[in-house]
Amino acid sequence: MAVGLVDAGGGDGHQYGGRITKFVALSCVTAAMGGAIFGYDLGTSGGVSSMGSFLEEFFPDVYRRMKGDVRVSNYCKFDSQLLTLFTSSLYIAGLLTAMLLSSWFTARHGRRPSMIIGGAAFLAGAAVSGGAVNVYMAILGRALLGVGLGFANQAVLLYLSEMAPARYRGAFSNGFQLSLCLGSLAANIINYGAEKITGGWGWRLSLGLAGVPAALFTLGALFLPETPNSLVQQGEDRGRVRTLLQKIRGTDDAGVDAELDDIVAANSAAARGGGGDSGLRLILSRPRYRPQLAIAVLMPAFTQLNGINAIGFYAPVLLRTVGMGESLALLSTVVTVVIYTASTVVFMFVIDRFGRRTLLIAGSLQMLVSEVLIGAVMAAKLGDEGGMARGYAAALFVLFGVYVAGYSWSWGPMTWLVPTEVFPLEIRSAGQSITVASGFVFTIFIAQGFLAMLCRMRAWLFFFFAGWIVVMTGFVYLFLPETKGMPIEQIGKVWREHWFWGRVVGVR
């Protein structure tokens, strides 16, 4: 049987018109700063975890193994549940925040207040982390950052998808991923410089400077407008919403009224369906929301199970495992993040041209080949003792770059974009909460388990990740329809015309 596909970009859903205004561009750039905070954390945690001064102060057992004072396999030098708890505590706190608080708050009070609260929590977490005097204080700081992440990831992605014109939604939503890359790049450059600071306090600088993007994000959120979708959901006067929508789209033509009519109709459907506080109940109980539930759970899960955050969190640790020095490992990570950022910029120019499915499948194939080669090189050339020859270490570094490039123009930004495109208004906040929670659950699994898995599975761990890339490629080919160019309010048509989901959503 041929797989049924819908190319929404060719006019299956009518377009509302309008243009990219300075108002909406500045609003989306400000909101996307939430990604910079996330990226800064991704870059900081792995770099700090490989710094000798940080390990000596908080994880002395790991430090002794790294220095060679205790004989242990190359693959097990950094195996410490307390060290991985330092990384994963942020995501545990983020998971609890997303499931218990941020979904309800964002639906009830709007996207902007959630971003403000998230920014304030980020500021508190940066202060506590930078001033930590023991490992438990460092973990508390990470947990506060997680609360901020739970609110920000919930609100920012909804904000971007609702503010952006439908035909440019892919590029606008990618602003989150691009700012994530830039935040990660800044963190790795700071890590490289901080490692050279004498006195052993460079790690404090790395952790504490998370307050800079947090302050910019919080200050900017104070001046952001609320989205038209959220205002309608909160019962705001239609005239005020129309005025805002007109300002956002930069036009006063019939397209503004058509878009507003669709938003109001979606909100009315949400009210009839029992939206608001019961959005979570709806998405879990109604068959017509099964496609959205599958996307919300599986897209973030696949993103973690392909191994990207294992490399993102622990790239310096991996490079030190194969024999690189501390400074060279941090510098190599900077180069990898530059590749990550450049590939993400390329994505912004191709996403609304080629569509979601094409880029996801092509990126998956690139990741699969590089992941298998990474595992093969490590299995053949890295034993339990001794380092890896310089040529093979360089080859491994190149393969990391190829892998990261494939991820950053496919699954990286698409994991954030696709779920925000498929939720109707009545379940949008609840659906985003499930997406964020799923991401956190599998991030915790990888962050907490990777170093122990590396110790026990050795190079076979990378073949494990490669197997999941095969699975997620098959999922995209069979079950993910194209959503390019389709207005969010009309997304139900995509599911009704899909070869598989059309049968599911037709069940009463």
Side-chain angles (χ1 to χ4, degrees):
M1 180 193 300
V3 179
L5 305 176
V6 178
D7 183 355
D12 290 333
H14 68 262
Q15 298 295 329
Y16 301 125
R19 57 189 174 84
I20 300 175
T21 62
K22 291 182 180 179
F23 179 73
V24 73
L26 289 173
S27 297
C28 289
V29 167
T30 302
M33 280 295 298
I37 306 172
F38 192 7
Y40 189 89
D41 167 75
L42 289 175
T44 300
S45 58
V48 166
S49 297
S50 72
M51 290 185 186
S53 56
F54 178 78
L55 294 172
E56 185 177 19
E57 184 161 351
F58 292 142
F59 305 96
D61 291 342
V62 176
Y63 180 74
R64 286 193 293 270
R65 292 201 298 266
M66 185 187 71
K67 297 293 287 183
D69 296 340
V70 177
R71 292 195 63 179
V72 66
S73 167
N74 279 321
Y75 292 97
C76 300
K77 289 180 179 179
F78 292 88
D79 182 21
S80 165
Q81 287 300 299
L82 189 60
L83 177 60
T84 51
L85 180 61
F86 168 75
T87 298
S88 61
S89 57
L90 182 148
Y91 303 99
I92 294 172
L95 170 64
L96 295 176
T97 301
M99 292 302 296
L100 301 178
L101 188 57
S102 63
S103 172
W104 167 84
F105 188 90
T106 303
R108 178 67 63 87
H109 300 286
R111 294 29 168 165
R112 177 176 166 269
S114 287
M115 287 190 277
I116 294 172
I117 292 176
F122 278 129
L123 283 169
V128 173
S129 297
V133 296
N134 56 53
V135 66
Y136 301 106
M137 188 173 174
I139 290 174
L140 173 62
R142 298 276 297 170
L144 288 171
L145 289 171
V147 172
L149 203 59
F151 273 101
N153 277 15
Q154 173 74 21
V156 167
L157 295 164
L158 292 177
Y159 190 94
L160 293 172
S161 67
E162 292 174 350
M163 290 289 281
R167 64 184 180 276
Y168 300 119
R169 190 171 58 240
F172 269 76
S173 295
N174 189 53
F176 182 87
Q177 180 70 13
L178 178 60
S179 63
L180 186 154
C181 292
L182 294 174
S184 182
L185 178 60
N188 280 282
I189 292 173
I190 290 169
N191 286 341
Y192 179 68
E195 181 268 331
K196 299 180 180 301
I197 295 176
T198 57
W201 58 272
W203 63 268
R204 294 189 184 276
L205 181 67
S206 291
L207 295 177
L209 283 179
V212 174
L216 293 173
F217 175 69
T218 307
L219 183 63
L222 292 172
F223 299 97
L224 288 178
E226 189 54 87
T227 70
N229 307 64
S230 182
L231 289 175
V232 169
Q233 192 174 26
Q234 295 171 57
E236 188 58 60
D237 175 72
R238 180 185 173 99
R240 182 189 168 194
V241 178
R242 188 188 187 284
T243 300
L244 175 62
L245 191 57
Q246 179 183 339
K247 186 176 181 181
I248 291 171
R249 299 295 177 242
T251 182
D252 193 25
D253 61 21
V256 170
D257 290 308
E259 183 172 1
L260 182 55
D261 287 342
D262 278 350
I263 293 172
V264 171
N267 186 65
S268 298
R272 290 194 302 271
D277 290 345
S278 59
L280 186 61
R281 177 180 60 81
L282 285 174
I283 197 172
L284 293 176
S285 64
R286 302 288 178 87
R288 69 174 180 268
Y289 300 127
R290 290 291 184 269
Q292 291 92 334
L293 180 61
I295 297 296
V297 173
L298 293 177
M299 287 289 289
F302 288 144
T303 297
Q304 300 305 319
L305 292 172
N306 68 42
I308 185 61
N309 271 355
I311 292 176
F313 293 149
Y314 300 117
V317 170
L318 281 171
L319 292 172
R320 296 206 69 183
T321 296
V322 302
M324 285 190 181
E326 182 176 342
S327 182
L328 182 58
L330 291 171
L331 179 59
S332 299
T333 306
V334 171
V335 176
T336 302
V337 178
V338 169
I339 296 171
Y340 193 172
T341 306
S343 300
T344 301
V345 172
V346 171
F347 173 88
M348 295 184 71
F349 291 98
V350 300
I351 175 56
D352 290 314
R353 178 184 298 270
F354 294 106
R356 285 55 167 153
R357 284 171 44 86
T358 299
L359 294 179
L360 282 169
I361 292 173
S364 295
L365 295 176
Q366 182 174 332
M367 293 162 63
L368 176 63
V369 171
S370 53
E371 192 97 68
V372 168
L373 291 175
I374 288 170
V377 171
M378 292 189 70
K381 300 299 177 181
L382 183 67
D384 286 332
E385 296 183 358
M388 180 182 286
R390 181 173 297 180
Y392 289 107
L396 202 62
F397 169 69
V398 170
L399 290 171
F400 280 167
V402 173
Y403 171 81
V404 165
Y407 172 83
S408 60
W409 59 262
S410 60
W411 281 87
M414 219 77 80
T415 299
W416 306 113
L417 170 62
V418 172
T420 65
E421 294 184 316
V422 302
F423 301 126
L425 187 60
E426 64 267 26
I427 61 166
R428 190 166 298 160
S429 185
Q432 183 63 19
S433 175
I434 293 174
T435 301
V436 172
S438 175
F440 281 139
V441 166
F442 286 94
T443 301
I444 291 166
F445 168 72
I446 293 298
Q448 193 66 31
F450 174 72
L451 294 179
M453 293 168 71
L454 180 65
C455 178
R456 289 155 182 79
M457 297 176 68
R458 278 31 180 202
W460 288 100
L461 177 58
F462 295 94
F463 296 109
F464 168 81
F465 290 140
W468 280 107
I469 294 176
V470 173
V471 172
M472 71 194 203
T473 306
F475 173 80
V476 171
Y477 182 75
L478 293 171
F479 300 112
L480 184 67
E482 184 58 71
T483 56
K484 176 173 71 76
M486 175 67 74
I488 294 177
E489 288 72 30
Q490 301 172 31
I491 205 70
K493 184 179 181 180
V494 171
W495 305 116
R496 291 192 297 272
E497 296 183 359
H498 189 267
W499 75 275
F500 176 79
W501 296 120
R503 287 178 274 179
V504 175
V505 299
V507 178
R508 298 295 179 186

Short mmCIF file of all heavy atoms in Angstrom, two decimals, residues 160-204:
data_model
loop_
_atom_site.label_atom_id
_atom_site.label_comp_id
_atom_site.label_asym_id
_atom_site.label_seq_id
_atom_site.Cartn_x
_atom_site.Cartn_y
_atom_site.Cartn_z
N LEU A 160 5.72 31.46 19.48
CA LEU A 160 6.30 31.59 18.14
C LEU A 160 5.36 31.05 17.07
O LEU A 160 5.17 31.67 16.01
CB LEU A 160 7.64 30.86 18.08
CG LEU A 160 8.78 31.46 18.92
CD1 LEU A 160 9.97 30.53 18.91
CD2 LEU A 160 9.17 32.83 18.41
N SER A 161 4.76 29.90 17.31
CA SER A 161 3.88 29.29 16.30
C SER A 161 2.62 30.11 16.10
O SER A 161 2.06 30.14 14.99
CB SER A 161 3.53 27.85 16.70
OG SER A 161 2.73 27.83 17.85
N GLU A 162 2.14 30.78 17.14
CA GLU A 162 0.91 31.56 17.03
C GLU A 162 1.14 32.96 16.47
O GLU A 162 0.24 33.54 15.86
CB GLU A 162 0.22 31.65 18.40
CG GLU A 162 -0.32 30.31 18.87
CD GLU A 162 -0.88 30.33 20.28
OE1 GLU A 162 -0.70 31.35 20.99
OE2 GLU A 162 -1.50 29.33 20.69
N MET A 163 2.31 33.51 16.65
CA MET A 163 2.60 34.85 16.14
C MET A 163 3.04 34.83 14.68
O MET A 163 2.83 35.79 13.93
CB MET A 163 3.70 35.51 16.98
CG MET A 163 3.27 35.90 18.38
SD MET A 163 2.13 37.29 18.43
CE MET A 163 3.28 38.67 18.21
N ALA A 164 3.67 33.76 14.24
CA ALA A 164 4.27 33.72 12.90
C ALA A 164 3.21 33.57 11.82
O ALA A 164 2.22 32.85 12.01
CB ALA A 164 5.26 32.56 12.81
N PRO A 165 3.38 34.21 10.66
CA PRO A 165 2.51 33.94 9.51
C PRO A 165 2.64 32.47 9.11
O PRO A 165 3.73 31.89 9.18
CB PRO A 165 3.07 34.85 8.41
CG PRO A 165 3.85 35.90 9.14
CD PRO A 165 4.39 35.25 10.36
N ALA A 166 1.53 31.85 8.71
CA ALA A 166 1.52 30.40 8.46
C ALA A 166 2.60 29.97 7.48
O ALA A 166 3.27 28.96 7.67
CB ALA A 166 0.14 29.97 7.96
N ARG A 167 2.80 30.75 6.40
CA ARG A 167 3.75 30.29 5.38
C ARG A 167 5.21 30.46 5.80
O ARG A 167 6.11 29.95 5.14
CB ARG A 167 3.49 31.02 4.06
CG ARG A 167 3.72 32.51 4.08
CD ARG A 167 3.34 33.11 2.71
NE ARG A 167 3.52 34.55 2.64
CZ ARG A 167 2.64 35.43 3.06
NH1 ARG A 167 1.51 35.01 3.62
NH2 ARG A 167 2.85 36.72 2.95
N TYR A 168 5.43 31.19 6.88
CA TYR A 168 6.80 31.36 7.41
C TYR A 168 6.97 30.73 8.79
O TYR A 168 7.96 30.98 9.47
CB TYR A 168 7.16 32.84 7.50
CG TYR A 168 7.11 33.57 6.18
CD1 TYR A 168 6.25 34.65 5.99
CD2 TYR A 168 7.93 33.20 5.12
CE1 TYR A 168 6.19 35.33 4.78
CE2 TYR A 168 7.87 33.86 3.90
CZ TYR A 168 7.01 34.93 3.74
OH TYR A 168 6.95 35.60 2.55
N ARG A 169 6.00 29.92 9.20
CA ARG A 169 6.03 29.41 10.57
C ARG A 169 7.25 28.55 10.84
O ARG A 169 7.83 28.57 11.93
CB ARG A 169 4.75 28.60 10.84
CG ARG A 169 4.57 28.23 12.31
CD ARG A 169 3.20 27.63 12.55
NE ARG A 169 2.97 26.46 11.72
CZ ARG A 169 1.99 26.35 10.83
NH1 ARG A 169 1.16 27.36 10.62
NH2 ARG A 169 1.85 25.24 10.12
N GLY A 170 7.69 27.79 9.84
CA GLY A 170 8.87 26.95 10.03
C GLY A 170 10.10 27.77 10.35
O GLY A 170 10.84 27.47 11.29
N ALA A 171 10.33 28.84 9.58
CA ALA A 171 11.51 29.68 9.80
C ALA A 171 11.41 30.40 11.14
O ALA A 171 12.41 30.50 11.87
CB ALA A 171 11.65 30.68 8.66
N PHE A 172 10.22 30.90 11.48
CA PHE A 172 10.07 31.63 12.74
C PHE A 172 10.26 30.70 13.94
O PHE A 172 10.96 31.04 14.90
CB PHE A 172 8.69 32.29 12.82
CG PHE A 172 8.67 33.69 12.28
CD1 PHE A 172 8.69 33.92 10.92
CD2 PHE A 172 8.64 34.79 13.13
CE1 PHE A 172 8.68 35.21 10.41
CE2 PHE A 172 8.63 36.07 12.64
CZ PHE A 172 8.65 36.30 11.28
N SER A 173 9.63 29.53 13.90
CA SER A 173 9.77 28.60 15.01
C SER A 173 11.21 28.11 15.15
O SER A 173 11.66 27.78 16.25
CB SER A 173 8.82 27.41 14.83
OG SER A 173 7.48 27.83 14.89
N ASN A 174 11.94 28.09 14.03
CA ASN A 174 13.34 27.71 14.10
C ASN A 174 14.18 28.75 14.84
O ASN A 174 15.32 28.48 15.21
CB ASN A 174 13.90 27.53 12.69
CG ASN A 174 15.30 26.94 12.70
OD1 ASN A 174 15.52 25.90 13.31
ND2 ASN A 174 16.24 27.60 12.04
N GLY A 175 13.61 29.95 15.07
CA GLY A 175 14.32 30.94 15.88
C GLY A 175 14.67 30.41 17.25
O GLY A 175 15.72 30.74 17.81
N PHE A 176 13.81 29.55 17.80
CA PHE A 176 14.10 28.93 19.09
C PHE A 176 15.33 28.05 18.99
O PHE A 176 16.24 28.11 19.83
CB PHE A 176 12.89 28.11 19.55
CG PHE A 176 13.05 27.47 20.90
CD1 PHE A 176 12.74 28.17 22.05
CD2 PHE A 176 13.52 26.17 21.03
CE1 PHE A 176 12.89 27.59 23.31
CE2 PHE A 176 13.68 25.58 22.26
CZ PHE A 176 13.36 26.30 23.41
N GLN A 177 15.38 27.21 17.94
CA GLN A 177 16.53 26.32 17.77
C GLN A 177 17.80 27.10 17.48
O GLN A 177 18.88 26.75 17.97
CB GLN A 177 16.24 25.33 16.64
CG GLN A 177 17.35 24.34 16.36
CD GLN A 177 17.51 23.31 17.46
OE1 GLN A 177 16.64 23.18 18.32
NE2 GLN A 177 18.60 22.58 17.46
N LEU A 178 17.69 28.18 16.67
CA LEU A 178 18.87 28.98 16.36
C LEU A 178 19.42 29.64 17.62
O LEU A 178 20.63 29.64 17.85
CB LEU A 178 18.54 30.03 15.31
CG LEU A 178 19.69 30.98 14.93
CD1 LEU A 178 20.87 30.21 14.37
CD2 LEU A 178 19.21 32.02 13.92
N SER A 179 18.53 30.21 18.43
CA SER A 179 19.01 30.84 19.66
C SER A 179 19.56 29.80 20.62
O SER A 179 20.49 30.07 21.39
CB SER A 179 17.89 31.66 20.33
OG SER A 179 16.82 30.83 20.73
N LEU A 180 19.00 28.58 20.58
CA LEU A 180 19.56 27.48 21.38
C LEU A 180 21.01 27.22 20.96
O LEU A 180 21.90 27.05 21.81
CB LEU A 180 18.70 26.24 21.22
CG LEU A 180 19.00 25.00 22.07
CD1 LEU A 180 17.73 24.17 22.26
CD2 LEU A 180 20.08 24.12 21.45
N CYS A 181 21.24 27.18 19.65
CA CYS A 181 22.60 26.94 19.14
C CYS A 181 23.54 28.06 19.57
O CYS A 181 24.68 27.81 19.98
CB CYS A 181 22.57 26.85 17.62
SG CYS A 181 21.74 25.39 16.98
N LEU A 182 23.08 29.30 19.45
CA LEU A 182 23.93 30.43 19.82
C LEU A 182 24.23 30.42 21.32
O LEU A 182 25.35 30.74 21.74
CB LEU A 182 23.26 31.74 19.41
CG LEU A 182 23.10 31.96 17.90
CD1 LEU A 182 22.29 33.21 17.62
CD2 LEU A 182 24.46 32.03 17.22
N GLY A 183 23.23 30.04 22.12
CA GLY A 183 23.48 29.92 23.56
C GLY A 183 24.48 28.84 23.87
O GLY A 183 25.37 29.01 24.72
N SER A 184 24.37 27.71 23.18
CA SER A 184 25.32 26.62 23.37
C SER A 184 26.72 27.02 22.92
O SER A 184 27.73 26.69 23.57
CB SER A 184 24.86 25.38 22.60
OG SER A 184 25.73 24.30 22.79
N LEU A 185 26.80 27.75 21.80
CA LEU A 185 28.10 28.22 21.32
C LEU A 185 28.75 29.16 22.33
O LEU A 185 29.94 29.03 22.64
CB LEU A 185 27.92 28.93 19.98
CG LEU A 185 29.18 29.54 19.35
CD1 LEU A 185 30.23 28.46 19.09
CD2 LEU A 185 28.83 30.27 18.04
N ALA A 186 27.96 30.11 22.86
CA ALA A 186 28.49 31.03 23.88
C ALA A 186 28.99 30.27 25.09
O ALA A 186 30.06 30.56 25.64
CB ALA A 186 27.41 32.03 24.28
N ALA A 187 28.22 29.26 25.52
CA ALA A 187 28.62 28.48 26.70
C ALA A 187 29.94 27.75 26.47
O ALA A 187 30.81 27.72 27.35
CB ALA A 187 27.52 27.47 27.05
N ASN A 188 30.11 27.16 25.30
CA ASN A 188 31.33 26.41 25.03
C ASN A 188 32.55 27.32 24.90
O ASN A 188 33.66 26.95 25.32
CB ASN A 188 31.15 25.56 23.77
CG ASN A 188 30.38 24.28 24.04
OD1 ASN A 188 30.92 23.31 24.56
ND2 ASN A 188 29.10 24.28 23.71
N ILE A 189 32.35 28.51 24.33
CA ILE A 189 33.46 29.47 24.27
C ILE A 189 33.84 29.91 25.68
O ILE A 189 35.03 30.00 26.02
CB ILE A 189 33.07 30.67 23.39
CG1 ILE A 189 32.94 30.23 21.94
CG2 ILE A 189 34.10 31.79 23.52
CD1 ILE A 189 32.39 31.31 21.02
N ILE A 190 32.83 30.19 26.50
CA ILE A 190 33.09 30.59 27.89
C ILE A 190 33.76 29.45 28.66
O ILE A 190 34.69 29.67 29.44
CB ILE A 190 31.78 31.03 28.57
CG1 ILE A 190 31.31 32.36 27.97
CG2 ILE A 190 31.97 31.17 30.08
CD1 ILE A 190 29.91 32.76 28.37
N ASN A 191 33.30 28.22 28.44
CA ASN A 191 33.94 27.07 29.10
C ASN A 191 35.42 26.99 28.74
O ASN A 191 36.27 26.73 29.60
CB ASN A 191 33.25 25.76 28.66
CG ASN A 191 31.90 25.56 29.31
OD1 ASN A 191 31.59 26.18 30.32
ND2 ASN A 191 31.09 24.72 28.71
N TYR A 192 35.72 27.19 27.46
CA TYR A 192 37.11 27.10 26.99
C TYR A 192 37.97 28.17 27.68
O TYR A 192 39.09 27.88 28.12
CB TYR A 192 37.15 27.27 25.48
CG TYR A 192 38.55 27.23 24.90
CD1 TYR A 192 39.30 26.06 24.91
CD2 TYR A 192 39.13 28.38 24.36
CE1 TYR A 192 40.58 26.02 24.38
CE2 TYR A 192 40.41 28.36 23.83
CZ TYR A 192 41.13 27.17 23.85
OH TYR A 192 42.41 27.14 23.33
N GLY A 193 37.45 29.38 27.80
CA GLY A 193 38.20 30.43 28.48
C GLY A 193 38.25 30.23 29.98
O GLY A 193 39.29 30.46 30.62
N ALA A 194 37.12 29.79 30.56
CA ALA A 194 37.06 29.63 32.02
C ALA A 194 38.00 28.54 32.51
O ALA A 194 38.55 28.63 33.63
CB ALA A 194 35.62 29.30 32.44
N GLU A 195 38.21 27.51 31.68
CA GLU A 195 39.11 26.43 32.08
C GLU A 195 40.53 26.92 32.29
O GLU A 195 41.30 26.34 33.07
CB GLU A 195 39.05 25.34 31.00
CG GLU A 195 39.91 24.11 31.27
CD GLU A 195 41.30 24.25 30.67
OE1 GLU A 195 41.43 24.95 29.65
OE2 GLU A 195 42.25 23.66 31.23
N LYS A 196 40.89 28.02 31.64
CA LYS A 196 42.26 28.54 31.73
C LYS A 196 42.45 29.51 32.90
O LYS A 196 43.57 29.96 33.14
CB LYS A 196 42.62 29.24 30.41
CG LYS A 196 42.58 28.29 29.21
CD LYS A 196 42.95 29.01 27.93
CE LYS A 196 42.91 28.05 26.74
NZ LYS A 196 43.82 26.90 26.89
N ILE A 197 41.37 29.86 33.59
CA ILE A 197 41.48 30.79 34.72
C ILE A 197 42.19 30.10 35.88
O ILE A 197 41.81 29.00 36.30
CB ILE A 197 40.08 31.28 35.15
CG1 ILE A 197 39.44 32.11 34.03
CG2 ILE A 197 40.17 32.10 36.43
CD1 ILE A 197 38.02 32.54 34.34
N THR A 198 43.20 30.73 36.39
CA THR A 198 43.92 30.16 37.54
C THR A 198 43.09 30.37 38.80
O THR A 198 42.30 31.30 38.92
CB THR A 198 45.28 30.84 37.70
OG1 THR A 198 45.10 32.25 37.84
CG2 THR A 198 46.17 30.56 36.49
N GLY A 199 43.28 29.49 39.75
CA GLY A 199 42.56 29.61 41.01
C GLY A 199 41.40 28.65 41.13
O GLY A 199 40.81 28.51 42.21
N GLY A 200 41.03 27.98 40.03
CA GLY A 200 40.01 26.93 40.09
C GLY A 200 38.58 27.42 40.20
O GLY A 200 37.70 26.63 40.56
N TRP A 201 38.31 28.71 39.89
CA TRP A 201 36.94 29.20 40.01
C TRP A 201 36.29 29.46 38.65
O TRP A 201 35.18 30.01 38.57
CB TRP A 201 36.89 30.49 40.83
CG TRP A 201 37.75 31.61 40.26
CD1 TRP A 201 39.06 31.85 40.52
CD2 TRP A 201 37.33 32.62 39.33
NE1 TRP A 201 39.50 32.94 39.81
CE2 TRP A 201 38.45 33.45 39.08
CE3 TRP A 201 36.13 32.92 38.69
CZ2 TRP A 201 38.40 34.53 38.21
CZ3 TRP A 201 36.07 34.00 37.83
CH2 TRP A 201 37.20 34.79 37.59
N GLY A 202 36.94 29.03 37.57
CA GLY A 202 36.39 29.27 36.24
C GLY A 202 35.02 28.66 36.04
O GLY A 202 34.16 29.23 35.35
N TRP A 203 34.76 27.50 36.67
CA TRP A 203 33.45 26.87 36.53
C TRP A 203 32.34 27.74 37.09
O TRP A 203 31.19 27.70 36.60
CB TRP A 203 33.45 25.50 37.20
CG TRP A 203 33.70 25.52 38.69
CD1 TRP A 203 34.89 25.41 39.31
CD2 TRP A 203 32.71 25.67 39.71
NE1 TRP A 203 34.73 25.48 40.68
CE2 TRP A 203 33.38 25.64 40.95
CE3 TRP A 203 31.32 25.82 39.71
CZ2 TRP A 203 32.73 25.76 42.17
CZ3 TRP A 203 30.66 25.95 40.92
CH2 TRP A 203 31.36 25.92 42.13
N ARG A 204 32.63 28.54 38.11
CA ARG A 204 31.61 29.45 38.67
C ARG A 204 31.20 30.49 37.63
O ARG A 204 30.02 30.85 37.52
CB ARG A 204 32.13 30.15 39.92
CG ARG A 204 32.39 29.21 41.10
CD ARG A 204 32.70 30.00 42.38
NE ARG A 204 33.02 29.10 43.47
CZ ARG A 204 32.11 28.50 44.25
NH1 ARG A 204 30.81 28.75 44.03
NH2 ARG A 204 32.48 27.70 45.21
#
